[in-house]
Amino acid sequence: MTLEIVRIPCLSDNYVWLLHEPAGGAVAVVDPADPGPVRATLGARGWRLTHILNTHHHADHVGGNLALKAEFGCTIVGPRADRDRIPGIDIALGEGDTLDLGAERARVIDVPGHTRGHAAFWFEGAGALFCGDTLFALGCGRMFEGTAPQMWASLLKLRALPDDTLVYCAHEYTQSNARFARHADPGNADLAARSRAIDAQRARGEATVPSPLGLEKRTNPFLRADDPALATAHGLDPHDPAAVFAHLRRSKDVFR
Ligand code: ZN
Ligand code: FE
């Protein structure tokens, strides 16, 4: 892999991702929640920030934009559909657009649902997907501004990527997501095994992100709404995956 990726924990449970392309020296930060920890990590590595990539407009994803831009003069890239809500945005991109970070190229995938405009950045060569609050390890984002059919369509686009893609989501929600996932899909042996591994990882204080997309496809109930077994287990019509997805998302919203 020619893209170096560094995890920066921020706020209570956010992950900010720092990307370094060694050949050209480009350095991008994905969703800088808070400028302080980003600045500290850049300083420790002797890197100069060239880009900010924003997946969506929420404060815990754009909070560091203006301070980092003032300090580094970096270029801010975000979803076209929400360009008015991304502080300091320079380049607005949409479905299929590409962004070159030195020798590494990111393709933008529009994934609305959590917010009206939400971008995912897929670095195909590096096998890395930065998906903000759309797809989480064993979960998906809440639908604050979108509908269930829209969110399901967005997740299907991400599910179409190769199994060995690593999913770099923006929050450490995995252990609580696993509790709901086991409740939603109790017969899934892969999920049960993964859930035990996650408990052990968290007990050791380890991060559970990134995760391989192939594992998400087998264990994340929000990527499995079109699995007839899962629909039937909930007494739902297996021919209407968007409705199954809507049911799962509503159930998760009130799950304790
Ligand atoms: Zn968000
Ligand atoms: Fe968030």
Side-chain angles (χ1 to χ4, degrees):
M1 185 181 291
T2 55
L3 193 62
E4 242 182 295
I5 303 174
V6 179
R7 182 194 304 103
I8 309 175
C10 277
L11 309 180
S12 60
D13 52 33
N14 279 73
Y15 288 140
V16 171
W17 302 101
L18 194 59
L19 282 46
H20 176 235
E21 195 283 306
V27 177
V29 67
V30 181
D31 286 350
D34 180 1
V38 176
R39 191 182 293 124
T41 307
L42 287 165
R45 303 214 169 220
W47 293 347
R48 187 175 173 79
L49 192 65
T50 59
H51 294 80
I52 293 174
L53 309 185
N54 287 129
T55 63
H56 68 292
H57 75 86
H58 283 158
D60 63 319
H61 297 254
V62 303
N65 274 24
L66 296 181
L68 291 170
K69 185 172 182 175
E71 190 168 342
F72 295 98
C74 54
T75 300
I76 301 183
V77 181
R80 184 177 296 129
D82 253 340
R83 62 181 311 155
D84 295 342
R85 298 195 286 179
I86 305 288
I89 191 168
D90 298 296
I91 301 177
L93 299 178
E95 182 75 22
D97 289 341
T98 57
L99 176 80
D100 288 337
L101 205 62
E104 294 290 339
R105 171 165 289 187
R107 186 169 297 277
V108 173
I109 305 172
D110 280 334
V111 285
H114 176 68
T115 51
R116 192 179 65 229
H118 193 303
F121 298 93
W122 178 40
F123 286 81
E124 181 174 5
L129 174 69
F130 298 90
C131 53
D133 289 356
T134 297
L135 175 63
F136 292 126
L138 288 180
C140 76
R142 283 178 188 258
M143 297 176 300
F144 289 117
E145 301 174 7
T147 64
Q150 206 175 29
M151 188 71 164
W152 172 240
S154 293
L155 290 171
L156 285 180
K157 287 192 205 175
L158 301 184
R159 195 179 71 175
L161 302 180
D163 282 3
D164 60 0
T165 306
L166 288 178
V167 179
Y168 293 83
C169 63
H171 291 274
E172 178 63 62
Y173 289 159
T174 317
Q175 197 169 25
S176 67
N177 284 346
R179 287 184 51 242
F180 174 76
R182 288 199 318 270
H183 162 82
D185 195 6
N188 187 329
D190 287 342
L191 170 59
R194 183 180 181 191
S195 177
R196 284 190 297 273
I198 287 163
D199 288 342
Q201 272 177 298
R202 294 306 289 157
R204 294 192 298 266
E206 294 171 11
T208 63
V209 181
S211 58
L213 184 59
L215 181 60
E216 297 300 333
K217 293 180 193 180
R218 294 199 307 278
T219 55
N220 186 329
F222 295 100
L223 293 181
R224 296 167 46 71
D226 55 355
D227 182 313
L230 202 140
T232 310
H234 290 264
L236 299 167
D237 177 3
H239 301 103
D240 192 354
V244 177
F245 173 80
H247 170 84
L248 291 172
R249 186 59 261 184
R250 270 195 311 272
S251 306
K252 172 79 162 67
D253 286 344
V254 298
F255 184 72
R256 293 285 176 271

